[in-house]
Each structure stands twice: as C-alpha cells, then as structure tokens.
Amino acid sequence: MQLGFLVDLHLCMGCKGCEIACKVENEVPLSTWRLRVKYVDVGTFPETKRTFTPLRCNHCENAPCERICPVSALHYIENGIVNIDKERCIGCAGCVMACPYGAIYIDPETQTADKCTYCAHRIASSMMPACVVACPVGANIFGDLEDPKSNISMYIQDHRDVQVRKPEKGTNPHHFYVGASQVNLNPLASRREEGYNLFNKITTLPLGGHHE
Amino acid sequence: MIHETLAATNAVVTLDVPLPDVFWGWFVTMNMWAKSIGTGLVFMLFLLLRKNASEMSGVRTSAIIVSFVMMNVFLLFTLADLHQPFRMWHIFFYPHWTSAITVGAWMATVFVGLEFLMAAMMIRKDKCLLTSDANATFDKLLFWVTLLAIPVTLYTAGIMAEATARELWQMPTESVQMILAATLSGSAAIILLGGSKLSDETKNFFASILGLSALLAFIIYMSEYIFGSMKAEEVTAILAYVKGDGEYATMFWIGQWVAYILPMILVALYRVSKSNSILTLAAILAIAGLWVVKHVWLVIPQLLPLS
Ligand code: SF4
Ligand code: SF4
C-alpha cells in the first residue's frame, strides 16, 4: 500500500475548511500549521484572480527529512506515510532544514518537530484524514496509489496535468496537484511584498532555541 | 526562468505563513567556527610533527588544550541549539546512520575523548600511568586523531548537503570549504599560540598555509558568487541576498575582506618584512573573519521562502 494525496485545484475555493479541520483534529498549536492554504493573487486590477493551494507534507518516497533525522524520529510506516515520533525527536531542526517544502515546524509546546501525518491515527482506524472529510467540494482526493482502482489512481489516469511540487529535488512526492500553474507550486513564481498579505504583522509564538 | 513571468502575472502571495526565516542561527555558526579551529589545530600539529618535530615541545600542550576547549565549545553550542537538549542521548541509543548528524556526533565524541587523553597526558606528564614517554605516545596518537579530524571536519558539509531544501550548499564545495576553514583557522591559531617558540622557518610555513587557505577559499566563494547563478534559479535567488543592496551583502564582503583578502595581503607583507606583528594581525583577522563568512553562508539560504 502506498497512500497518497491529490488536490484538484479546479475545485478548491480556498475556504480553509481543511486547515481548520487539521488544526482541531491534531491539536496543532497557535502559530503553527500542518496544512495551510496559500493564496496568490494574479493579474492587474481589474483583471485579477485569486489562486488557492493547499500545502502539506508530501510524504516523499525519497524523503530528505527521514534521511537527515539523527534518531529516526521521522520514519516510514508500511502504508508509505512518513510519520513522526515526537518522544524520540531531539529538536535538532535538521528536518526543517532538509524539507524542500517547508512542511515541518517546531511545535512551540513540545519543542519537537511536527508535521502532517496524513492523519495516520485516523487511517489506522479506517477513517479518512480530517481534511478530506472537511472539504466541502471534494478537492482533496486520498487513497492507495498502488491500487489502480482507487479514486486517486483513477484521477491520475483521467487527468493529464498531474504535477508535484519541486520535482527537481528528487524527493518523489506522494502528493499531487491537478490544475496547478507555476504560481501555485513554485515559490519563485510570485512576489512576497510587505503590506500585501491579508493578515499583516503576523505574530508567532516564541519557539525557544536561537532563531534570528 | 520563472522569475521572468512575474511581470506578466504580477503574482503576489496574499496569504501564506511560511516558517520563521532563520532556523539555524548564530549558535550553528559558533559550532562550525569552533570546530574549524579545534580540528585545524590538530592538522597543524601533525604537519609540524612531520616537518620539524623538534619544535613540537613548544606547542604540544597549548595546542591540544586549545583544540580540546574549542571542540567543547563546538559541542556545547551543538547541544544548546537543540530544542530538546536533554534527549541528546537518543543519538547514541537510537542512531540513524543515514544522517550526517548522527555520524558526526559519534565521530566528534570519539575525537574529543582522544583529545582529552592527549591533553591529560601532557598536563600530568610526570604522573602519566599510560606510558613512560608521554611525548612519544602523544605523537603516535596524533596520527590517529589527525585521521579522525578529517571526517570530523567534513561531516558538517554532509549535513549541509543533506539539507535538500538549501540549494546553495553543495557537498563538493562545502567539503573543500570546511577543510580550508580548518587549515585557515588552525594555522592562524598555531601562529598565535606558538609565538616566539616557533622558528622563522616554521612561521613561514604556517604563514604560507594561512595565505594559501585564504586564497583558495576566496576563489571558491567568488566562483560561487559569480557562476552559481548560471545553473539554478534558486541559487540565483539566494545569492541576491549577498549582491547589490541585498540584506547580507555588506556582511558578506566584510567577511571576505577580514577572513581572506586582508590576511592574504598581510601574509605577503610578512614574507617581505618578517614582522611578527603583521603575521599576528593576519592570524587574528582570519579567525575573526571566518566567523562572519560562515554565518553569512549559513543564513542566506534560509531566507528564501520554501512555499
Ligand atoms: S514533504 Fe517534507 S516533511 Fe514531508 S516527507 Fe517530504 S521532505 Fe519530509
Ligand atoms: S528535529 Fe526531531 S524529527 Fe527533525 S531531524 Fe531533528 S530529531 Fe529528527
């Protein structure tokens, strides 16, 4: 079994239902996110549109976070999920430096690394990840990539524009997007300008450690 | 290049909360800097033993003690940078061998243990239980410690290489830079420690190592600065932080001048004038500048948003 995600960006309307469901399900502390929906505005007024891209851990087949973790706190489980053992983690932040997608954060309460686990605990009880259940438009498609009859496999077969984030990194993500452009997937394809954020002056909780 | 589409798309991120900028900050710089001096001194002791063993007596004790202290500074900052420092023992009980962090931690521990033995032998020469001739045993051990110093120096480059998110750090260049940082700071440190105990010939020798290390490291940084952008867009975006009015441009050039350019000039002047104070100044600048150079190179790739 190889579990994977696919987000159909044609369907996503940026409601952030998945983000909230994830927060609640996994008790993700304030100022940190396992899953977040990035908004990028494209065009020049009045010809503008807003794009939405849910971003989470890609559960890479060749995961740099797993490779660099000195104590195997990050590890693969048999269904392909890259899971984390917070009791094992020493908080070296090697994984934070290694993940090309910025998917890992240091939990300010436990001072250990954390990230999306595809809701491994729910899957163990034959439930879907919380974000899949919460999405009102079914934009999150989840299933076994090794089963050609699964929803996700059928979706991949039926669509030509299936993409992953940063394929050049060689991580082989198990998380796909349909209907994405560079603006959605490539951080260099958009600007980040002071004052353009919907929420400016975001405060983050102190992490401990020695960040600048 | 995707950056060139910006004029057409006018794409602006209006909602995203990426990670805090710099995760590995100056604690990690301290770690790399102290380790360079610690291992560099061992390399220099070994070279001195090969070149002019009679002068070893003047620096054996001081060099091994300073190296040991610097390696402890390195370990201390490594530990302090952990978010869960009291779980450090997990590295020894649940080691994951694909991680350069694990391999490095084990090797550095053995290295520091051996250095402790050597330092203890030198301090308690008269009461040394291990051997009747402490100097001879020290010199024998030095060979193995020097061998071990090579991977201990290099493993940080391995960590940087495993940091897949940071395109700037490539193993071939980082490993050479780690060795050069060790030879630069090691030669500078032994020049300062040896002082008048070293002969002019030996000082010349270490001055040459200092000057050449500075030259080579500078050439590599300049190569990356000028040519790095020609291969990968991500590297172009990272190098923008040290170019033009980039956030770290001033600090980058301060580092290059203090660590490399000035010491190179001063070493050249020393060879002409034979003035010890010029050589001392070159050594101090190289050690201080190395911190700045390492810090800039550590921080800039972390400034680029990953999402
Ligand atoms: S997306 Fe990042 S955190 Fe997730 S498996 Fe890949 S490297 Fe690890
Ligand atoms: S922060 Fe924790 S999970 Fe991440 S690499 Fe270090 S020990 Fe592993």
Side-chain angles (χ1 to χ4, degrees):
Chain A
M1 179 182 276
Q2 177 57 70
L3 294 173
F5 246 101
L6 183 148
V7 184
D8 188 340
L9 296 181
H10 295 120
L11 298 175
C12 178
M13 54 184 187
C15 72
K16 290 178 171 279
C18 52
E19 204 174 294
I20 306 302
C22 172
K23 274 261 187 192
V24 173
E25 175 69 29
N26 297 297
E27 295 178 359
V28 182
L30 276 176
S31 85
T32 51
W33 288 264
R34 287 185 178 202
L35 158 62
R36 58 185 202 270
V37 183
K38 179 170 95 157
Y39 289 6
V40 181
D41 291 4
V42 183
T44 308
F45 183 80
E47 295 301 320
T48 54
K49 68 173 181 187
R50 178 160 291 166
T51 69
F52 311 109
T53 320
L55 303 171
R56 54 169 85 71
C57 167
N58 297 283
H59 295 266
C60 310
E61 184 191 20
N62 182 22
C65 62
E66 188 272 345
R67 184 165 50 230
I68 204 172
C69 180
V71 294
S72 300
L74 284 152
H75 56 277
Y76 297 104
I77 49 181
E78 60 287 349
N79 55 15
I81 287 176
V82 178
N83 209 354
I84 179 150
D85 177 350
K86 291 177 83 167
E87 296 302 314
R88 178 77 69 87
C89 172
I90 62 173
C92 67
C95 52
V96 178
M97 297 298 288
C99 171
Y101 312 101
I104 303 186
Y105 59 91
I106 299 289
D107 182 326
E109 286 168 9
T110 60
Q111 293 297 325
T112 55
D114 209 350
K115 67 173 196 69
C116 158
T117 61
Y118 279 178
C119 281
H121 59 292
R122 289 175 61 96
I123 289 160
S125 319
S126 304
M127 290 190 286
M128 279 284 177
C131 55
V132 177
V133 178
C135 182
V137 292
N140 288 299
I141 293 128
F142 180 73
D144 183 6
L145 291 163
E146 285 176 355
D147 172 5
K149 297 266 178 297
S150 67
N151 269 355
I152 188 166
S153 297
M154 309 269 270
Y155 222 93
I156 291 172
Q157 286 160 32
D158 290 348
H159 290 80
R160 290 200 187 153
D161 61 338
V162 179
Q163 297 186 66
V164 294
R165 293 165 74 192
K166 302 186 184 175
E168 71 281 3
K169 294 285 184 185
T171 54
N172 306 346
H174 288 133
H175 188 292
F176 307 92
Y177 293 90
V178 162
S181 69
Q182 286 291 313
V183 162
N184 299 97
L185 304 184
N186 187 338
L188 296 174
S190 47
R191 282 194 288 267
R192 284 170 193 268
E193 286 176 1
E194 202 59 42
Y196 278 77
N197 218 303
L198 292 179
F199 302 109
N200 289 302
K201 295 200 171 62
I202 292 171
T203 47
T204 47
L205 293 181
L207 278 180
H210 308 279
H211 312 290
E212 300 196 341
Chain B
M1 280 198 171
I2 195 64
H3 187 259
E4 306 317 317
T5 63
L6 276 171
T9 60
N10 194 23
V12 181
V13 176
T14 44
L15 190 58
D16 186 23
V17 191
L19 293 168
D21 281 354
V22 177
F23 245 86
W24 280 351
W26 69 272
F27 270 43
V28 177
T29 311
M30 280 301 294
N31 153 322
M32 291 195 284
W33 177 78
K35 180 158 68 79
S36 296
I37 301 172
T39 56
L41 270 170
V42 167
F43 291 140
M44 295 308 125
L45 269 183
F46 182 73
L47 289 177
L48 183 61
L49 180 66
R50 296 277 133 176
K51 191 173 159 48
N52 199 347
S54 62
E55 288 185 42
M56 281 292 279
S57 54
V59 286
R60 248 192 217 99
T61 310
S62 57
I64 202 70
I65 289 176
V66 173
S67 170
F68 178 69
V69 169
M70 293 316 281
M71 289 307 291
N72 277 285
V73 170
F74 145 74
L75 288 178
L76 188 76
F77 277 90
T78 307
L79 196 67
D81 198 53
L82 298 182
H83 290 261
Q84 287 285 356
F86 295 114
R87 292 188 189 168
M88 179 68 183
W89 59 272
H90 287 189
I91 286 203
F92 301 103
F93 284 82
Y94 310 111
H96 185 217
W97 296 109
T98 62
S99 170
I101 302 174
T102 311
V103 177
W106 278 69
M107 284 189 312
T109 306
V110 176
F111 182 81
V112 173
L114 286 172
E115 278 202 322
F116 176 76
L117 261 184
M118 292 166 82
M121 253 174 4
M122 285 297 101
I123 294 168
R124 305 295 302 267
K125 253 185 206 155
D126 49 333
K127 299 215 176 72
C128 187
L129 300 174
L130 292 172
T131 171
S132 53
D133 185 352
N135 286 345
T137 313
F138 181 100
D139 294 349
K140 272 192 205 125
L141 263 180
L142 185 59
F143 172 77
W144 298 106
V145 173
T146 307
L147 265 190
L148 193 54
I150 299 170
V152 170
T153 305
L154 289 179
Y155 90 85
T156 314
I159 298 176
M160 292 167 102
E162 285 191 338
T164 310
R166 325 290 160 172
E167 195 70 34
L168 182 70
W169 303 333
Q170 300 291 337
M171 184 65 183
T173 37
E174 291 311 324
S175 51
V176 176
Q177 287 291 28
M178 289 294 161
I179 291 285
L180 290 174
T183 52
L184 178 95
S185 58
S187 55
I190 207 153
I191 286 168
L192 295 176
L193 286 173
S196 56
K197 286 180 230 133
L198 299 177
S199 65
D200 285 349
E201 187 205 347
T202 304
K203 268 193 223 158
N204 257 335
F205 173 65
F206 285 129
S208 306
I209 295 182
L210 176 61
L212 281 174
S213 306
L215 175 67
L216 290 175
F218 180 67
I219 289 174
I220 296 175
Y221 275 119
M222 285 305 105
S223 308
E224 297 209 67
Y225 187 85
I226 297 163
F227 297 100
S229 320
M230 297 180 189
K231 285 283 165 73
E233 191 171 18
E234 212 174 303
V235 175
T236 313
I238 293 167
L239 288 174
Y241 294 113
V242 289
K243 289 186 175 175
D245 55 0
E247 212 177 309
Y248 278 80
T250 313
M251 200 170 176
F252 174 78
W253 283 111
I254 289 175
Q256 297 297 316
W257 272 92
V258 177
Y260 305 136
I261 303 172
L262 289 176
M264 270 190 279
I265 296 172
L266 291 170
V267 164
L269 283 177
Y270 162 77
R271 293 184 75 93
V272 179
S273 69
K274 297 285 166 232
S275 155
N276 282 332
S277 34
I278 289 183
L279 187 59
T280 305
L281 181 63
I284 293 171
L285 288 178
I287 290 176
L290 184 67
W291 194 97
V292 182
V293 167
K294 288 277 171 206
H295 187 65
V296 172
W297 216 246
L298 174 75
V299 165
I300 53 171
Q302 300 180 58
L303 301 176
L304 199 68
L306 297 173
S307 57

mmCIF file of all heavy atoms in Angstrom, chain A residues 69-71 73-74 84 89-95 113, ligand 2:
data_model
loop_
_atom_site.group_PDB
_atom_site.id
_atom_site.type_symbol
_atom_site.label_atom_id
_atom_site.label_comp_id
_atom_site.label_asym_id
_atom_site.label_seq_id
_atom_site.Cartn_x
_atom_site.Cartn_y
_atom_site.Cartn_z
ATOM 1 N N CYS A 69 17.224 12.844 9.753
ATOM 2 C CA CYS A 69 16.861 12.742 11.168
ATOM 3 C C CYS A 69 17.841 11.803 11.895
ATOM 4 O O CYS A 69 17.954 10.635 11.558
ATOM 5 C CB CYS A 69 15.433 12.220 11.327
ATOM 6 S SG CYS A 69 14.970 12.085 13.064
ATOM 7 N N PRO A 70 18.556 12.328 12.891
ATOM 8 C CA PRO A 70 19.619 11.519 13.505
ATOM 9 C C PRO A 70 19.117 10.397 14.398
ATOM 10 O O PRO A 70 19.886 9.511 14.761
ATOM 11 C CB PRO A 70 20.401 12.547 14.335
ATOM 12 C CG PRO A 70 19.426 13.639 14.622
ATOM 13 C CD PRO A 70 18.490 13.687 13.453
ATOM 14 N N VAL A 71 17.835 10.437 14.761
ATOM 15 C CA VAL A 71 17.350 9.449 15.736
ATOM 16 C C VAL A 71 16.143 8.658 15.210
ATOM 17 O O VAL A 71 15.442 8.011 15.984
ATOM 18 C CB VAL A 71 16.985 10.149 17.071
ATOM 19 C CG1 VAL A 71 18.226 10.717 17.742
ATOM 20 C CG2 VAL A 71 15.948 11.252 16.864
ATOM 21 N N ALA A 73 13.350 9.721 14.403
ATOM 22 C CA ALA A 73 12.038 10.203 14.861
ATOM 23 C C ALA A 73 11.113 10.283 13.647
ATOM 24 O O ALA A 73 9.921 9.963 13.721
ATOM 25 C CB ALA A 73 12.177 11.574 15.517
ATOM 26 N N LEU A 74 11.659 10.700 12.529
ATOM 27 C CA LEU A 74 10.902 10.659 11.274
ATOM 28 C C LEU A 74 11.174 9.301 10.644
ATOM 29 O O LEU A 74 12.331 8.909 10.480
ATOM 30 C CB LEU A 74 11.350 11.779 10.344
ATOM 31 C CG LEU A 74 10.803 13.149 10.757
ATOM 32 C CD1 LEU A 74 11.711 14.263 10.312
ATOM 33 C CD2 LEU A 74 9.397 13.356 10.219
ATOM 34 N N ILE A 84 6.028 10.736 12.404
ATOM 35 C CA ILE A 84 6.989 11.301 13.358
ATOM 36 C C ILE A 84 6.710 10.814 14.768
ATOM 37 O O ILE A 84 5.550 10.735 15.191
ATOM 38 C CB ILE A 84 7.009 12.843 13.300
ATOM 39 C CG1 ILE A 84 8.003 13.399 14.317
ATOM 40 C CG2 ILE A 84 5.633 13.460 13.498
ATOM 41 C CD1 ILE A 84 8.631 14.679 13.918
ATOM 42 N N CYS A 89 12.147 12.626 19.085
ATOM 43 C CA CYS A 89 12.765 13.812 18.472
ATOM 44 C C CYS A 89 13.615 14.596 19.482
ATOM 45 O O CYS A 89 13.208 14.821 20.613
ATOM 46 C CB CYS A 89 11.657 14.704 17.923
ATOM 47 S SG CYS A 89 12.235 16.303 17.350
ATOM 48 N N ILE A 90 14.818 15.002 19.035
ATOM 49 C CA ILE A 90 15.695 15.793 19.910
ATOM 50 C C ILE A 90 15.637 17.282 19.575
ATOM 51 O O ILE A 90 16.338 18.084 20.176
ATOM 52 C CB ILE A 90 17.156 15.296 19.855
ATOM 53 C CG1 ILE A 90 17.732 15.437 18.439
ATOM 54 C CG2 ILE A 90 17.260 13.862 20.335
ATOM 55 C CD1 ILE A 90 19.225 15.129 18.343
ATOM 56 N N GLY A 91 14.846 17.623 18.565
ATOM 57 C CA GLY A 91 14.674 19.038 18.219
ATOM 58 C C GLY A 91 15.886 19.681 17.571
ATOM 59 O O GLY A 91 16.166 20.857 17.780
ATOM 60 N N CYS A 92 16.595 18.909 16.739
ATOM 61 C CA CYS A 92 17.796 19.472 16.101
ATOM 62 C C CYS A 92 17.452 20.349 14.917
ATOM 63 O O CYS A 92 18.299 21.090 14.417
ATOM 64 C CB CYS A 92 18.725 18.353 15.651
ATOM 65 S SG CYS A 92 18.042 17.354 14.309
ATOM 66 N N ALA A 93 16.224 20.240 14.416
ATOM 67 C CA ALA A 93 15.738 21.019 13.271
ATOM 68 C C ALA A 93 16.418 20.631 11.952
ATOM 69 O O ALA A 93 16.284 21.346 10.964
ATOM 70 C CB ALA A 93 15.853 22.519 13.509
ATOM 71 N N GLY A 94 17.110 19.500 11.949
ATOM 72 C CA GLY A 94 17.697 19.033 10.687
ATOM 73 C C GLY A 94 16.618 18.838 9.631
ATOM 74 O O GLY A 94 16.795 19.195 8.462
ATOM 75 N N CYS A 95 15.491 18.275 10.065
ATOM 76 C CA CYS A 95 14.395 18.020 9.123
ATOM 77 C C CYS A 95 13.826 19.321 8.569
ATOM 78 O O CYS A 95 13.432 19.403 7.405
ATOM 79 C CB CYS A 95 13.305 17.202 9.807
ATOM 80 S SG CYS A 95 12.754 17.919 11.365
ATOM 81 N N ALA A 113 9.818 18.494 16.543
ATOM 82 C CA ALA A 113 9.343 18.686 15.180
ATOM 83 C C ALA A 113 7.961 18.056 15.011
ATOM 84 O O ALA A 113 7.621 17.088 15.707
ATOM 85 C CB ALA A 113 10.325 18.062 14.206
HETATM 86 S S1 SF4 C 2 14.080 17.927 14.777
HETATM 87 FE FE1 SF4 C 2 13.447 15.891 15.507
HETATM 88 S S2 SF4 C 2 12.416 14.950 13.762
HETATM 89 FE FE2 SF4 C 2 13.603 16.677 12.976
HETATM 90 S S3 SF4 C 2 15.566 15.780 12.352
HETATM 91 FE FE3 SF4 C 2 15.851 16.515 14.452
HETATM 92 S S4 SF4 C 2 15.373 14.747 15.738
HETATM 93 FE FE4 SF4 C 2 14.564 14.275 13.688
#
